[in-house]
C-alpha cells in the first residue's frame, strides 16, 4: 500500500507541470487525496484535495492556476499547475486520508502526519526559475 508522487522538475516562470499521485495496493477512489507542498524554510501546507466523491478544494491563492483531477482507471490523482511562479518552488507531497476534503481536513492531515494515521507518499521537487 503506497502513494507515489511524480512529475516534478525544473520549469521557467509562466510554465506548466502536471504532478501525478499514483496509488497502489488500495483503491484511492474511496479516499480523499490531497496535495501538500513544503518550500525551503517554510512549513508544509495543504494546497488542494479531491474528495472521494470528486469534489475539489483549493487554497485561495492557487485557485485558477492549479486543477486537481482523478483518473480512476489509473488509480491516480493529478495536479495540473499552470502559470507557475518562483514562489511555487517546493517539494510536493500527496496523501490519502479518510475524511472530507477541505481546509480543516487538510490541516488535520498535516497535524497527524507523524502518527501514521494517513498514507503519505514521497515528495517530488518542483523548481520554478525566474
Amino acid at each position: 500500500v503506497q502513494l507515489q508522487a511524480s512529475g516534478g522538475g525544473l520549469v521557467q516562470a509562466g510554465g506548466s507541470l502536471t504532478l501525478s499521485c499514483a496509488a497502489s495496493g488500495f483503491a484511492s477512489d474511496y479516499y480523499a487525496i490531497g496535495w501538500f507542498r513544503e518550500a525551503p524554510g517554510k512549513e508544509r501546507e495543504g494546497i488542494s484535495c479531491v474528495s472521494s466523491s470528486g469534489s475539489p478544494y483549493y487554497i485561495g491563492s492557487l485557485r485558477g492556476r492549479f486543477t486537481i483531477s482523478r483518473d480512476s482507471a489509473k488509480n491516480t490523482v493529478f495536479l495540473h499547475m499552470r502559470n507557475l511562479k518562483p514562489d511555487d518552488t517546493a517539494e510536493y507531497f500527496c496523501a490519502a486520508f479518510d475524511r472530507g476534503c477541505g481546509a480543516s481536513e487538510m490541516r488535520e492531515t498535516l497535524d497527524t502526519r507523524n502518527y501514521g494515521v494517513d498514507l503519505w507518499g514521497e515528495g517530488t521537487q518542483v523548481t520554478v526559475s525566474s
Side-chain angles (χ1 to χ4, degrees), residues 61-105:
S61 61
L62 299 181
R63 197 172 291 122
R65 291 197 300 123
F66 287 19
T67 303
I68 193 168
S69 65
R70 282 186 187 271
D71 186 328
S72 297
K74 295 182 179 179
N75 208 15
T76 299
V77 170
F78 300 97
L79 186 67
H80 310 277
M81 308 184 294
R82 64 182 182 88
N83 192 20
L84 284 162
K85 304 176 181 180
D87 283 349
D88 294 318
T89 294
E91 189 166 10
Y92 285 70
F93 301 85
C94 61
F97 43 98
D98 189 16
R99 56 182 71 91
C101 166
S104 61
E105 290 84 355

Short mmCIF file of all heavy atoms in Angstrom, two decimals, residues 61-105:
data_model
loop_
_atom_site.label_atom_id
_atom_site.label_comp_id
_atom_site.label_asym_id
_atom_site.label_seq_id
_atom_site.Cartn_x
_atom_site.Cartn_y
_atom_site.Cartn_z
N SER A 61 -5.20 31.20 -2.84
CA SER A 61 -4.13 31.79 -3.65
C SER A 61 -3.81 31.00 -4.90
O SER A 61 -3.19 31.51 -5.83
CB SER A 61 -2.87 31.94 -2.80
OG SER A 61 -2.43 30.67 -2.36
N LEU A 62 -4.23 29.75 -4.95
CA LEU A 62 -3.91 28.90 -6.10
C LEU A 62 -5.10 28.64 -7.01
O LEU A 62 -4.94 28.08 -8.09
CB LEU A 62 -3.35 27.56 -5.63
CG LEU A 62 -2.06 27.63 -4.82
CD1 LEU A 62 -1.60 26.24 -4.44
CD2 LEU A 62 -0.96 28.35 -5.60
N ARG A 63 -6.27 29.03 -6.52
CA ARG A 63 -7.47 28.77 -7.33
C ARG A 63 -7.33 29.47 -8.67
O ARG A 63 -6.99 30.64 -8.75
CB ARG A 63 -8.70 29.26 -6.58
CG ARG A 63 -10.00 28.71 -7.11
CD ARG A 63 -11.16 29.08 -6.18
NE ARG A 63 -11.07 28.38 -4.91
CZ ARG A 63 -11.01 29.00 -3.73
NH1 ARG A 63 -11.00 30.32 -3.68
NH2 ARG A 63 -10.96 28.30 -2.62
N GLY A 64 -7.61 28.74 -9.73
CA GLY A 64 -7.49 29.30 -11.07
C GLY A 64 -6.20 28.94 -11.76
O GLY A 64 -6.13 28.95 -12.99
N ARG A 65 -5.16 28.63 -11.00
CA ARG A 65 -3.90 28.22 -11.61
C ARG A 65 -3.67 26.72 -11.49
O ARG A 65 -3.01 26.12 -12.34
CB ARG A 65 -2.70 28.94 -10.96
CG ARG A 65 -2.62 30.42 -11.24
CD ARG A 65 -1.24 30.97 -10.93
NE ARG A 65 -0.85 30.80 -9.54
CZ ARG A 65 0.25 30.15 -9.15
NH1 ARG A 65 1.05 29.58 -10.04
NH2 ARG A 65 0.55 30.06 -7.87
N PHE A 66 -4.18 26.12 -10.42
CA PHE A 66 -3.98 24.69 -10.20
C PHE A 66 -5.33 23.99 -10.35
O PHE A 66 -6.36 24.50 -9.92
CB PHE A 66 -3.44 24.43 -8.79
CG PHE A 66 -1.99 24.81 -8.59
CD1 PHE A 66 -1.33 25.68 -9.45
CD2 PHE A 66 -1.28 24.31 -7.51
CE1 PHE A 66 0.00 26.03 -9.25
CE2 PHE A 66 0.05 24.65 -7.29
CZ PHE A 66 0.68 25.50 -8.16
N THR A 67 -5.31 22.81 -10.92
CA THR A 67 -6.51 21.99 -11.08
C THR A 67 -6.19 20.57 -10.65
O THR A 67 -5.19 20.00 -11.10
CB THR A 67 -7.00 21.99 -12.53
OG1 THR A 67 -7.24 23.35 -12.96
CG2 THR A 67 -8.30 21.20 -12.66
N ILE A 68 -7.05 20.01 -9.83
CA ILE A 68 -6.86 18.64 -9.36
C ILE A 68 -7.87 17.75 -10.08
O ILE A 68 -9.01 18.16 -10.34
CB ILE A 68 -7.01 18.54 -7.83
CG1 ILE A 68 -6.50 17.20 -7.31
CG2 ILE A 68 -8.44 18.81 -7.40
CD1 ILE A 68 -6.35 17.17 -5.77
N SER A 69 -7.45 16.55 -10.42
CA SER A 69 -8.36 15.62 -11.11
C SER A 69 -8.01 14.19 -10.74
O SER A 69 -6.89 13.90 -10.30
CB SER A 69 -8.26 15.82 -12.63
OG SER A 69 -6.98 15.46 -13.11
N ARG A 70 -8.99 13.32 -10.92
CA ARG A 70 -8.80 11.88 -10.67
C ARG A 70 -8.90 11.11 -11.97
O ARG A 70 -9.71 11.45 -12.83
CB ARG A 70 -9.89 11.33 -9.74
CG ARG A 70 -9.76 11.60 -8.29
CD ARG A 70 -10.86 10.84 -7.56
NE ARG A 70 -10.94 11.13 -6.15
CZ ARG A 70 -10.28 10.50 -5.20
NH1 ARG A 70 -9.46 9.53 -5.53
NH2 ARG A 70 -10.43 10.82 -3.93
N ASP A 71 -8.13 10.06 -12.08
CA ASP A 71 -8.31 9.07 -13.14
C ASP A 71 -8.48 7.74 -12.43
O ASP A 71 -7.49 7.12 -12.00
CB ASP A 71 -7.11 9.05 -14.09
CG ASP A 71 -7.33 8.13 -15.28
OD1 ASP A 71 -8.03 7.11 -15.13
OD2 ASP A 71 -6.80 8.42 -16.36
N SER A 72 -9.71 7.32 -12.26
CA SER A 72 -9.99 6.10 -11.51
C SER A 72 -9.38 4.88 -12.16
O SER A 72 -8.90 3.97 -11.47
CB SER A 72 -11.50 5.92 -11.37
OG SER A 72 -12.07 6.97 -10.64
N ALA A 73 -9.38 4.84 -13.48
CA ALA A 73 -8.83 3.69 -14.18
C ALA A 73 -7.34 3.52 -13.90
O ALA A 73 -6.82 2.40 -13.84
CB ALA A 73 -9.07 3.83 -15.68
N LYS A 74 -6.65 4.66 -13.69
CA LYS A 74 -5.22 4.62 -13.41
C LYS A 74 -4.94 4.67 -11.92
O LYS A 74 -3.77 4.63 -11.51
CB LYS A 74 -4.51 5.78 -14.11
CG LYS A 74 -4.57 5.71 -15.63
CD LYS A 74 -3.81 6.87 -16.26
CE LYS A 74 -3.85 6.77 -17.78
NZ LYS A 74 -3.14 7.89 -18.44
N ASN A 75 -6.01 4.80 -11.11
CA ASN A 75 -5.84 4.89 -9.66
C ASN A 75 -4.86 6.02 -9.31
O ASN A 75 -3.98 5.87 -8.45
CB ASN A 75 -5.33 3.55 -9.08
CG ASN A 75 -5.74 3.34 -7.64
OD1 ASN A 75 -6.63 4.02 -7.11
ND2 ASN A 75 -5.09 2.40 -6.99
N THR A 76 -5.05 7.12 -9.99
CA THR A 76 -4.10 8.24 -9.91
C THR A 76 -4.84 9.57 -9.80
O THR A 76 -5.90 9.74 -10.40
CB THR A 76 -3.18 8.25 -11.16
OG1 THR A 76 -2.45 7.03 -11.22
CG2 THR A 76 -2.20 9.41 -11.12
N VAL A 77 -4.27 10.46 -9.00
CA VAL A 77 -4.77 11.82 -8.91
C VAL A 77 -3.69 12.74 -9.47
O VAL A 77 -2.50 12.56 -9.20
CB VAL A 77 -5.09 12.18 -7.45
CG1 VAL A 77 -5.36 13.68 -7.30
CG2 VAL A 77 -6.29 11.38 -6.96
N PHE A 78 -4.15 13.71 -10.25
CA PHE A 78 -3.23 14.63 -10.91
C PHE A 78 -3.39 16.04 -10.35
O PHE A 78 -4.49 16.43 -9.94
CB PHE A 78 -3.49 14.67 -12.41
CG PHE A 78 -3.32 13.33 -13.10
CD1 PHE A 78 -4.43 12.53 -13.35
CD2 PHE A 78 -2.07 12.90 -13.47
CE1 PHE A 78 -4.28 11.30 -13.98
CE2 PHE A 78 -1.90 11.67 -14.09
CZ PHE A 78 -3.01 10.87 -14.34
N LEU A 79 -2.31 16.77 -10.36
CA LEU A 79 -2.37 18.20 -10.04
C LEU A 79 -1.78 18.94 -11.24
O LEU A 79 -0.57 18.86 -11.49
CB LEU A 79 -1.58 18.52 -8.77
CG LEU A 79 -1.69 19.97 -8.30
CD1 LEU A 79 -3.12 20.27 -7.82
CD2 LEU A 79 -0.69 20.28 -7.20
N HIS A 80 -2.64 19.61 -11.97
CA HIS A 80 -2.22 20.36 -13.14
C HIS A 80 -1.90 21.78 -12.70
O HIS A 80 -2.77 22.48 -12.17
CB HIS A 80 -3.33 20.37 -14.20
CG HIS A 80 -3.89 19.01 -14.49
ND1 HIS A 80 -3.30 18.13 -15.38
CD2 HIS A 80 -4.99 18.37 -14.01
CE1 HIS A 80 -4.02 17.02 -15.44
NE2 HIS A 80 -5.04 17.13 -14.61
N MET A 81 -0.67 22.19 -12.92
CA MET A 81 -0.23 23.50 -12.46
C MET A 81 0.17 24.36 -13.67
O MET A 81 0.96 23.90 -14.50
CB MET A 81 0.97 23.35 -11.52
CG MET A 81 0.73 22.35 -10.38
SD MET A 81 2.10 22.27 -9.22
CE MET A 81 3.38 21.59 -10.28
N ARG A 82 -0.38 25.54 -13.75
CA ARG A 82 -0.05 26.41 -14.86
C ARG A 82 0.35 27.78 -14.34
O ARG A 82 0.13 28.10 -13.17
CB ARG A 82 -1.22 26.52 -15.84
CG ARG A 82 -2.46 27.17 -15.27
CD ARG A 82 -3.58 27.19 -16.33
NE ARG A 82 -4.77 27.85 -15.83
CZ ARG A 82 -5.00 29.15 -15.91
NH1 ARG A 82 -4.09 29.95 -16.47
NH2 ARG A 82 -6.11 29.67 -15.43
N ASN A 83 0.92 28.57 -15.22
CA ASN A 83 1.40 29.91 -14.85
C ASN A 83 2.21 29.84 -13.56
O ASN A 83 1.99 30.61 -12.62
CB ASN A 83 0.22 30.88 -14.70
CG ASN A 83 0.67 32.31 -14.61
OD1 ASN A 83 1.78 32.66 -15.02
ND2 ASN A 83 -0.19 33.17 -14.06
N LEU A 84 3.15 28.93 -13.53
CA LEU A 84 3.94 28.73 -12.33
C LEU A 84 4.80 29.93 -12.01
O LEU A 84 5.29 30.64 -12.91
CB LEU A 84 4.79 27.47 -12.48
CG LEU A 84 4.01 26.16 -12.33
CD1 LEU A 84 4.78 24.99 -12.92
CD2 LEU A 84 3.68 25.92 -10.87
N LYS A 85 5.00 30.14 -10.72
CA LYS A 85 5.77 31.28 -10.23
C LYS A 85 6.92 30.76 -9.37
O LYS A 85 6.84 29.66 -8.81
CB LYS A 85 4.87 32.19 -9.40
CG LYS A 85 3.63 32.67 -10.14
CD LYS A 85 2.71 33.48 -9.24
CE LYS A 85 1.47 33.93 -9.99
NZ LYS A 85 0.56 34.72 -9.14
N PRO A 86 7.97 31.56 -9.21
CA PRO A 86 9.08 31.12 -8.35
C PRO A 86 8.61 30.75 -6.94
O PRO A 86 9.19 29.85 -6.33
CB PRO A 86 10.00 32.33 -8.36
CG PRO A 86 9.77 32.96 -9.69
CD PRO A 86 8.31 32.79 -9.95
N ASP A 87 7.56 31.39 -6.45
CA ASP A 87 7.05 31.06 -5.11
C ASP A 87 6.42 29.67 -5.06
O ASP A 87 6.14 29.18 -3.97
CB ASP A 87 6.00 32.10 -4.67
CG ASP A 87 6.64 33.39 -4.22
OD1 ASP A 87 7.87 33.43 -4.05
OD2 ASP A 87 5.91 34.39 -4.04
N ASP A 88 6.17 29.07 -6.19
CA ASP A 88 5.64 27.71 -6.22
C ASP A 88 6.74 26.66 -6.02
O ASP A 88 6.45 25.47 -5.92
CB ASP A 88 4.92 27.44 -7.54
CG ASP A 88 3.68 28.29 -7.71
OD1 ASP A 88 2.93 28.46 -6.73
OD2 ASP A 88 3.46 28.79 -8.84
N THR A 89 7.98 27.10 -5.99
CA THR A 89 9.09 26.18 -5.78
C THR A 89 8.95 25.52 -4.42
O THR A 89 8.85 26.19 -3.39
CB THR A 89 10.43 26.93 -5.86
OG1 THR A 89 10.61 27.40 -7.20
CG2 THR A 89 11.59 26.02 -5.48
N ALA A 90 8.92 24.20 -4.42
CA ALA A 90 8.71 23.44 -3.19
C ALA A 90 8.80 21.95 -3.50
O ALA A 90 8.81 21.55 -4.67
CB ALA A 90 7.34 23.75 -2.59
N GLU A 91 8.86 21.17 -2.45
CA GLU A 91 8.68 19.74 -2.61
C GLU A 91 7.19 19.46 -2.41
O GLU A 91 6.59 19.93 -1.45
CB GLU A 91 9.51 18.95 -1.61
CG GLU A 91 9.52 17.47 -1.88
CD GLU A 91 10.59 16.72 -1.10
OE1 GLU A 91 11.20 17.32 -0.21
OE2 GLU A 91 10.82 15.53 -1.41
N TYR A 92 6.64 18.72 -3.34
CA TYR A 92 5.20 18.45 -3.35
C TYR A 92 4.95 17.01 -2.93
O TYR A 92 5.61 16.08 -3.41
CB TYR A 92 4.62 18.71 -4.74
CG TYR A 92 4.48 20.18 -5.07
CD1 TYR A 92 5.60 20.97 -5.28
CD2 TYR A 92 3.23 20.78 -5.14
CE1 TYR A 92 5.49 22.32 -5.55
CE2 TYR A 92 3.09 22.13 -5.42
CZ TYR A 92 4.23 22.90 -5.62
OH TYR A 92 4.10 24.24 -5.90
N PHE A 93 3.99 16.84 -2.04
CA PHE A 93 3.63 15.55 -1.49
C PHE A 93 2.15 15.29 -1.71
O PHE A 93 1.35 16.22 -1.74
CB PHE A 93 3.88 15.51 0.02
CG PHE A 93 5.29 15.77 0.43
CD1 PHE A 93 5.76 17.08 0.59
CD2 PHE A 93 6.16 14.72 0.69
CE1 PHE A 93 7.07 17.34 0.97
CE2 PHE A 93 7.47 14.97 1.08
CZ PHE A 93 7.92 16.26 1.22
N CYS A 94 1.79 14.01 -1.80
CA CYS A 94 0.37 13.68 -1.79
C CYS A 94 0.08 12.74 -0.62
O CYS A 94 0.98 12.06 -0.13
CB CYS A 94 -0.07 13.06 -3.12
SG CYS A 94 0.73 11.53 -3.60
N ALA A 95 -1.15 12.76 -0.19
CA ALA A 95 -1.57 11.92 0.92
C ALA A 95 -3.00 11.47 0.70
O ALA A 95 -3.81 12.19 0.09
CB ALA A 95 -1.47 12.69 2.24
N ALA A 96 -3.31 10.29 1.19
CA ALA A 96 -4.66 9.76 1.16
C ALA A 96 -5.21 9.78 2.58
O ALA A 96 -4.52 9.34 3.52
CB ALA A 96 -4.67 8.33 0.63
N PHE A 97 -6.40 10.30 2.75
CA PHE A 97 -6.96 10.39 4.09
C PHE A 97 -8.46 10.10 4.04
O PHE A 97 -9.15 10.42 3.08
CB PHE A 97 -6.67 11.74 4.75
CG PHE A 97 -6.82 12.95 3.87
CD1 PHE A 97 -7.99 13.70 3.90
CD2 PHE A 97 -5.79 13.36 3.03
CE1 PHE A 97 -8.13 14.83 3.11
CE2 PHE A 97 -5.92 14.49 2.23
CZ PHE A 97 -7.10 15.23 2.28
N ASP A 98 -8.90 9.51 5.15
CA ASP A 98 -10.28 9.05 5.26
C ASP A 98 -11.12 10.08 6.00
O ASP A 98 -11.61 9.82 7.10
CB ASP A 98 -10.31 7.69 5.97
CG ASP A 98 -11.67 7.05 5.94
OD1 ASP A 98 -12.53 7.47 5.14
OD2 ASP A 98 -11.92 6.12 6.74
N ARG A 99 -11.21 11.21 5.41
CA ARG A 99 -12.05 12.28 5.97
C ARG A 99 -12.45 13.16 4.81
O ARG A 99 -12.09 12.93 3.67
CB ARG A 99 -11.29 13.06 7.06
CG ARG A 99 -9.99 13.66 6.62
CD ARG A 99 -9.28 14.37 7.78
NE ARG A 99 -8.75 13.45 8.77
CZ ARG A 99 -7.52 12.95 8.74
NH1 ARG A 99 -6.70 13.28 7.77
NH2 ARG A 99 -7.12 12.12 9.68
N GLY A 100 -13.17 14.14 5.02
CA GLY A 100 -13.58 15.00 3.94
C GLY A 100 -12.43 15.79 3.35
O GLY A 100 -11.28 15.61 3.73
N CYS A 101 -12.76 16.63 2.42
CA CYS A 101 -11.74 17.40 1.71
C CYS A 101 -12.06 18.88 1.85
O CYS A 101 -13.05 19.37 1.30
CB CYS A 101 -11.72 16.97 0.24
SG CYS A 101 -10.83 18.07 -0.86
N GLY A 102 -11.23 19.56 2.58
CA GLY A 102 -11.39 20.99 2.79
C GLY A 102 -10.25 21.49 3.63
O GLY A 102 -9.32 20.74 3.96
N ALA A 103 -10.33 22.75 4.00
CA ALA A 103 -9.23 23.36 4.74
C ALA A 103 -8.97 22.67 6.08
O ALA A 103 -7.82 22.37 6.43
CB ALA A 103 -9.51 24.85 4.95
N SER A 104 -10.03 22.42 6.83
CA SER A 104 -9.84 21.81 8.15
C SER A 104 -9.36 20.37 8.04
O SER A 104 -8.53 19.91 8.84
CB SER A 104 -11.12 21.88 8.97
OG SER A 104 -12.16 21.18 8.31
N GLU A 105 -9.84 19.65 7.04
CA GLU A 105 -9.42 18.26 6.86
C GLU A 105 -7.96 18.18 6.45
O GLU A 105 -7.21 17.31 6.90
CB GLU A 105 -10.30 17.56 5.82
CG GLU A 105 -11.73 17.30 6.29
CD GLU A 105 -12.65 18.49 6.10
OE1 GLU A 105 -12.18 19.57 5.68
OE2 GLU A 105 -13.86 18.33 6.35
#
